[in-house]
Amino acid sequence: MKNILFPFLSLILIAGVNAQVSTNEIAKLYFIEAEKQFNQTNWEEALKYISKTEKSLKSTNGRILNLKVKTLFNSGEFREAQASLDLFINNYSNSVTPELRNETMSYFIKLEKYFEKKGEEEKRIEKVRKEKEESLKYYTYESCSNYRCESGKIEESHSKKCYSCDGDGLKTKYDYVQAFANGLNGTNKNTSYTVKCSVCKGSGKINFTRKVKCNVCNGSAKVLGYVGSYDLSNEEVKDAISNHREKIDHFIRVKEAFSNNSELSFYPLKDFETNKIGFCDRDLNLSIPHKYGYAKIIEKDLAIVSKDEKSGVINSNGKIVIPLKYNELKKISNNSLLINEVYGDYFISDYKGKPKSTAFQDYLLLTGFYLVVQSESEYEILNFEGQIMDDAIYQDIIIINKNPFIIACQKLDEWKLLRLNKTIEDLYPESYAEIDSYKLNGKILILLKGEKTKLAKSDGSLVSNEEFEEIQINQDIGLVKLKKNQEYGFYDVSKDIMIYPKYTDLLLNKKFRNRIIVKKNEVFGVVNSYDKEIIEPMFYKIWFETGGKKFIAQRKEKSRKRYLYDLHGNYLGSYRE
């Protein structure tokens, strides 16, 4: 019972004592502890009890601020010390003794000196940073310094075990005369001896050299060198090249652009931290801030720029020439732009945005001289001044090839084949009922269809002047079966070889494009794509074996005997099913 009662009475007594201590007395106790911790240089503990003092009082005073300024200064929290000092000066400097005031105010000079020194250090650091940033402009590529380097390769010496002596350096020779004499005379004299290997000269190794990538220039045959006036150590140069290579290469490209065009007054300059683009002058000084997502020079003092997904044109002073309100701008000539408006239509303009053409819905092809455009269901060919070429409006245009530029154009019910160079060339005087194109083995074949069909190559030139009654295209193997006057030939697109129709029939194989079964004078044989005879035409019937790697031939109509040939025409024997 006594054990239970004693703790209970203790709690009552402690609660009674706390109840009798005033807030001011608690704050005083905290402040005394704060001073104690300050004198023991326990800055963190001192600040903790200063904070408790202020919370207990729900305010501060000059004496507390004096201790707070001193503690914050000594703990290195200078900005907080300055804030507390400002509060002291503005509100509490007259409420303390002169001695306390003078002591507190002494920290004004201390803090001022600190911030002056800090400012000078920050300026010094910023100066060094700017110098290092500026120095990135003064690197250039030089020939590799490794005297052994040739076009980025050096020779390395290697050795391997001699193949002649198997690495021993010695070869065993045999005295066949002595061996013969031993046999005749019954003697047993030595018939073998060793000599130095003549291939490796007795070393057992064969030396050789091979070219490997130079370790100095990493195979590029050139190295970056610093040519600026800033005093950089070798380590600083290596560090810049290692960590800022992309920036350095960018500056080199900018310098090359100015070097290649003496009239160029500004050029895009990228900020690698923000990925924004600004512009610099010929000295590589920033002249227009980094604020664009895209920039491209179109004239010595004009550039297309994009910002917030809208494009326009500015000059070298940063003045807007064409408002940044279009989806896209593209330079198409030395005085013309292709502009895509917000609502989707296009038009051709000059470099100031003045339209040269009426609006059109889309463009199918942009060449070095012309633009193939579509409006509603009509097609036109425009030059870069916005003029309709030959005043021609077409019902349809098909792009056949882009190198060279070949197009098929429909006007009324007739089709024409045009080549777009500096001039528009009508390739053939006649018109066609239809023009088709196919891609076979990477090459384009054009079919010019009328009553009969002609074949043209990817550049628009005719394969031949022949017209064919029927054409069958096998896209799997790139061969075209041709029919004329009830006879068949073929055209190999990849080899540009035509075999004119002379066979009464021919069969193509998907797996072996270079083997064609042909029929002539009622018998079958096999030729290759050059029309070279592989199997002589003498069989009633020839067909590909299942799998297509052999031929099966039947000599007579009612004969059950079959003959087997390989792809080279070699007879393999009788065939049995």
Side-chain angles (χ1 to χ4, degrees), residues 139-153 214 216-227:
Y139 285 79
T140 185
Y141 279 104
E142 303 167 341
S143 298
C144 181
S145 57
N146 188 348
Y147 71 94
R148 296 170 56 204
C149 178
E150 292 183 11
S151 302
K153 302 284 186 180
C214 174
V216 176
C217 64
N218 200 30
S220 66
K222 58 184 181 180
V223 292
L224 272 175
Y226 176 64
V227 294

Side-chain angles (χ1 to χ4, degrees), residues 160-171 195-207:
K160 60 183 179 181
K161 187 167 67 174
C162 177
Y163 62 87
S164 181
C165 65
D166 199 28
D168 291 335
L170 299 173
K171 292 278 289 184
V195 297
K196 186 188 291 186
C197 176
S198 61
V199 176
C200 66
K201 310 300 183 187
S203 68
K205 296 179 179 180
I206 295 177
N207 298 320

Side-chain angles (χ1 to χ4, degrees), residues 74-90:
N74 282 284
S75 67
E77 300 180 48
F78 301 105
R79 294 201 176 278
E80 292 81 356
Q82 183 68 57
S84 295
L85 180 60
D86 290 342
L87 182 61
F88 176 86
I89 292 171
N90 294 327

Side-chain angles (χ1 to χ4, degrees), residues 44 66 96 114 166 190 198 200 214 239 291 341 348 407 422 463 511 517 545 555:
E44 188 175 343
N66 168 269
V96 295
Y114 165 77
D166 199 28
N190 190 17
S198 61
C200 66
C214 174
D239 179 72
K291 58 182 178 179
E341 299 188 86
I348 298 173
I407 62 173
K422 288 185 178 181
V463 173
K511 291 186 178 180
I517 297 174
E545 182 195 30
R555 189 177 293 276

Side-chain angles (χ1 to χ4, degrees), residues 54 60-69 84 87-88 92:
E54 291 176 327
T60 189
N61 58 45
R63 191 175 176 189
I64 295 171
L65 288 171
N66 168 269
L67 182 61
K68 191 173 186 180
V69 168
S84 295
L87 182 61
F88 176 86
Y92 298 99

